[in-house]
Amino acid sequence: MAEPTVITTIKKIDAASAPVLGEALNQALDSGVKELVVDMGETTYISSIGLRVFLAAQKRVRAAGGSMVLTHVSPQVMEVFDITGFSGILNIGD
């Protein structure tokens, strides 16, 4: 079994950085990666654009029969995931 590909996010996932994150996720999926780990240890803010990036990646990885896990999610970001219902859609690990 292949090691998962790890993508590390930055402090703020907003209109400026979300497209860069989306491109990194898409490149990994385009290259055939089936197991993604997104390390969010540095992230303290996520905008609605960032949420859409994760939703699109989640749909792609599931359609490919893979999985994506978000790790080290800060309390601030977890609150956004909870309020928006994304905590029930995304796979959030430790």
Side-chain angles (χ1 to χ4, degrees):
M1 186 174 207
E3 285 289 315
T5 296
V6 178
I7 293 176
T8 303
T9 59
I10 62 173
K11 188 169 183 72
K12 290 176 71 173
I13 302 174
D14 56 16
S17 62
V20 176
L21 173 61
E23 184 60 31
L25 292 167
N26 282 327
Q27 282 180 353
L29 295 170
D30 289 345
S31 71
V33 169
K34 296 264 194 255
E35 305 299 321
L36 270 175
V37 173
V38 181
D39 184 341
M40 298 187 71
E42 298 294 317
T43 304
T44 57
Y45 173 83
I46 186 166
S47 71
S48 60
I49 296 169
L51 293 173
R52 284 193 294 272
V53 165
F54 282 129
L55 183 60
Q58 181 70 24
K59 286 180 179 177
R60 279 197 68 193
V61 77
R62 278 197 180 144
S67 70
M68 178 177 73
V69 179
L70 310 183
T71 62
H72 307 115
V73 177
S74 71
Q76 301 96 312
V77 172
M78 193 66 212
E79 184 177 6
V80 173
F81 288 160
D82 286 341
I83 289 169
T84 59
F86 274 67
S87 56
I89 297 169
L90 301 172
N91 187 2
I92 300 169
D94 293 332

